[in-house]
Amino acid sequence: MNTQPTLAKEGGDTGTTGDAQQSDGSNGLKAGLKNRHLSMIAIGGVIGAGLFVGSGSGIAAAGPAILLSYALVGAMVVFVMRMLGEMAAARPSSGSFSAYADRALGRWAGFTIGWLYWFFWVVVLAVEATAGAKILEGWIPAVPQWGWALIVMVVLTATNLASVSSYGEFEFWFAGIKVVAIGAFVVIGLLAVFGVLPGSKNPGAGFAHLTDAGGFFPMGAGAVLTGVLMVVFSFMGSEIVTLAAGESEDPQKAVTKATNSVIWRIGVFYLGSILVVLTLLPWNDKSIVEKGSYVAALDSIGIPAAGQIMNVIVLTAVLSCLNSGLYTASRMAFSLGRRGDAPKAFARTNKRGVPTAAILSSVVFGFVAVFFNYKWPDTVFAFLLNSSGAVALFVWLVICLTQLKMRGIILRESPEKLVVRMWLFPYLTWATAAMIVFVLGYMVYDGGANREQVVLSLLVAALVLAIGLVKQRIQKQSAAEPELVEKI
């Protein structure tokens, strides 16, 4: 039998550990995620399919200087995660930054960024389902691409509907494969770089390839910024652990651990793996773009069937992203429902603590987006894709602005819970916000698809904001009417 959790007050969703452990309390979610689940979600959360698929074009655009692009975006993500970790450790919540924005900036902010984030992930569901279907169709062409997309979506929907522990278990293994694969790639690649890998075809040139094809900045220093635009979206997903923490046994410990480890995770998985590619091959080697950076690197070492090995890893990354995307979208919808910013049905959980309506609504939109991708890929789906393209940066900017105010609220109401602190507050917070604004501005200046993404994303954000403001005004008027009748 379904239970109807109490909707959060206007101050926002401030879920606690106790809430997560009750199936019929103020939260409704159950603490079904174990520490090993949270640890792997935190580690694997920053590794998207974009790292494997999109890094080749970034290398072609900036050369070895793409390392600086990854370092700049990585630093930005580290700072944003530190801010988010500060708030999430103090107040674990299924709505994460949306709930904190609701409390710190106002109902309009929580409503807007919550729905934009939900929109972002349901569009991602369509992108990843299609990417996974293409790989699977290549292996078993008897099943059409749309059939594979349907199968993948149905399986992962069933997983999320079963229980949060099912999601955690699937993600533990998906993320584990990604982590092991990249770790092995870095270790084997470095051995080949220095010429100590037995049987390797690579000449072992050390770090010579970083400068032997036109220097470290072959396309000019400005190409670093171009590279930033190309790699920034491959980092989206690192914030998922703060949403998942609300359904763990010890949210504060999980968030603290994830926040403290984000530096080495980005350093090893992003900078480390791209460094290996750039040291195994000259940056302008045509195979990097034609085959993909990781496949080209494995080929240069002499690893047999490198393409198929990478297809398996990319498929795992795609399934992981789909699994987490569905979980994230549903939990954001659940939180919006609790705060009265979405249909009340979204805030209901079944006896297993699963928000069924929130999951199914996210899946339905995802299925519709998949249909658009097959039917109108260059029109309707292109609009959906571009209008959600800059949402990642909007989310990070809102986290910065929210943390500036939440620090004071936490210190005033529960200072003992401030176990994670943003460094050099408030100066580094403002600097990070300024960097995000600069990236958005440079996207507009850069023109083309980047400008279109920012403009369309801003238009969608303005529409959602307008709906939120109208809704808030109606609610205030409805609340004021009984008072007016009483006075009369």
Side-chain angles (χ1 to χ4, degrees):
M1 187 175 72
N2 284 354
T3 58
Q4 172 63 59
T6 305
L7 293 177
K9 295 181 180 179
E10 190 166 320
D13 177 6
T14 58
T16 63
T17 310
D19 289 338
Q21 292 171 339
Q22 300 172 11
S23 62
D24 57 352
S26 62
N27 192 313
L29 302 175
K30 285 188 175 181
L33 293 176
K34 300 176 181 178
N35 287 334
R36 65 182 178 87
H37 293 154
L38 263 293
S39 296
M40 198 55 74
I41 290 170
I43 294 172
V46 294
I47 310 170
L51 173 63
F52 301 106
V53 178
S55 54
S57 57
I59 292 172
I66 194 69
L67 286 168
L68 295 181
S69 303
Y70 274 102
L72 284 171
V73 179
M76 188 163 66
V77 172
V78 166
F79 297 150
V80 169
M81 278 299 294
R82 187 75 185 181
M83 295 176 226
L84 186 54
E86 175 180 299
M87 296 182 287
R91 300 188 173 193
S93 166
S94 59
S96 188
F97 51 84
S98 172
Y100 309 140
D102 193 308
R103 176 70 193 276
L105 304 178
R107 295 298 302 278
W108 62 271
F111 178 94
T112 304
I113 205 64
W115 276 114
L116 285 176
Y117 193 67
W118 178 87
F119 175 57
F120 171 86
W121 279 111
V122 292
V123 173
V124 166
L125 290 180
V127 175
E128 300 297 338
T130 303
K134 286 180 180 178
I135 295 174
L136 290 166
E137 186 188 29
W139 293 342
I140 308 177
V143 179
Q145 193 178 124
W146 65 265
W148 280 120
L150 182 65
I151 291 169
V152 167
M153 290 280 277
V154 168
V155 169
L156 292 179
T157 300
T159 300
N160 276 264
L161 284 172
S163 67
V164 68
S165 60
S166 298
Y167 154 73
E169 199 63 33
F170 265 70
E171 191 57 24
F172 176 80
W173 292 105
F174 286 154
I177 292 171
K178 289 189 293 184
V179 169
V180 170
I182 293 189
F185 176 80
V186 171
V187 172
I188 293 171
L190 287 176
L191 290 175
V193 165
F194 295 106
V196 293
L197 182 68
S200 173
K201 296 179 182 179
N202 193 277
F207 296 114
H209 287 323
L210 293 178
T211 56
D212 65 4
F216 191 74
F217 297 96
M219 310 299 288
V224 173
L225 292 177
T226 302
V228 165
L229 303 186
M230 300 181 78
V231 307
V232 66
F233 302 109
S234 64
F235 282 85
M236 190 64 172
S238 53
E239 69 289 331
I240 290 174
V241 68
T242 63
L243 282 83
E247 294 176 80
S248 67
E249 298 165 350
D250 190 347
Q252 190 177 78
K253 180 180 178 181
V255 169
T256 303
K257 185 177 180 181
T259 303
N260 290 336
S261 65
V262 72
I263 297 176
W264 72 260
R265 286 187 276 129
I266 289 175
V268 172
F269 298 132
Y270 278 84
L271 290 174
S273 61
I274 298 299
L275 175 64
V276 166
V277 172
L278 289 167
T279 48
L280 285 174
L281 291 165
W283 70 272
N284 55 359
D285 191 301
K286 292 182 179 179
S287 64
I288 291 179
V289 175
E290 293 172 355
K291 298 179 180 179
S293 56
Y294 290 83
V295 173
L298 290 173
D299 276 344
S300 75
I301 297 173
I303 301 293
Q308 288 303 320
I309 291 173
M310 194 50 59
N311 272 339
V312 172
I313 296 169
V314 171
L315 179 62
T316 303
V318 164
L319 294 176
S320 172
C321 192
L322 262 172
N323 194 38
S324 289
L326 180 53
Y327 171 83
T328 305
S330 65
R331 273 16 178 217
M332 186 57 71
F334 169 82
S335 179
L336 287 165
R338 282 191 64 205
R339 288 176 273 144
D341 289 335
K344 291 182 180 180
F346 288 6
R348 295 194 184 103
T349 57
N350 60 24
K351 61 184 180 181
R352 298 186 302 278
V354 175
T356 307
I359 291 174
L360 292 178
S361 64
S362 302
V363 172
V364 167
F365 195 98
F367 275 126
V368 171
V370 169
F371 173 75
F372 287 156
N373 196 7
Y374 288 117
K375 189 71 175 176
W376 301 290
D378 299 322
T379 52
V380 179
F381 188 73
F383 171 80
L384 290 177
L385 200 59
N386 286 325
S387 60
S388 64
V391 168
L393 291 168
F394 294 169
V395 167
W396 295 344
L397 183 59
V398 166
I399 289 172
C400 293
L401 300 178
T402 301
Q403 192 259 339
L404 287 167
K405 295 198 71 174
M406 278 299 291
R407 168 68 73 89
I409 294 173
I410 296 170
L411 284 175
R412 185 170 64 250
E413 297 181 356
S414 49
E416 73 283 356
K417 293 184 178 180
L418 197 63
V419 294
V420 176
R421 288 175 178 264
M422 176 59 184
W423 307 297
L424 299 176
F425 178 83
Y427 309 108
L428 197 50
T429 300
W430 279 115
T432 306
M435 184 178 178
I436 295 169
V437 171
F438 173 79
V439 171
L440 284 168
Y442 192 76
M443 287 177 71
V444 175
Y445 170 79
D446 192 57
N450 288 319
R451 178 181 295 167
E452 186 177 5
Q453 284 187 4
V454 174
V455 172
L456 288 178
S457 296
L458 282 172
L459 286 175
V460 171
L463 176 62
V464 176
L465 174 59
I467 294 172
L469 290 174
V470 169
K471 184 176 182 298
Q472 188 173 335
R473 186 179 182 84
I474 292 172
Q475 286 176 336
K476 285 183 178 180
Q477 288 177 344
S478 299
E481 284 176 3
E483 296 179 9
L484 183 60
V485 172
E486 190 176 327
K487 287 181 181 179
I488 294 174

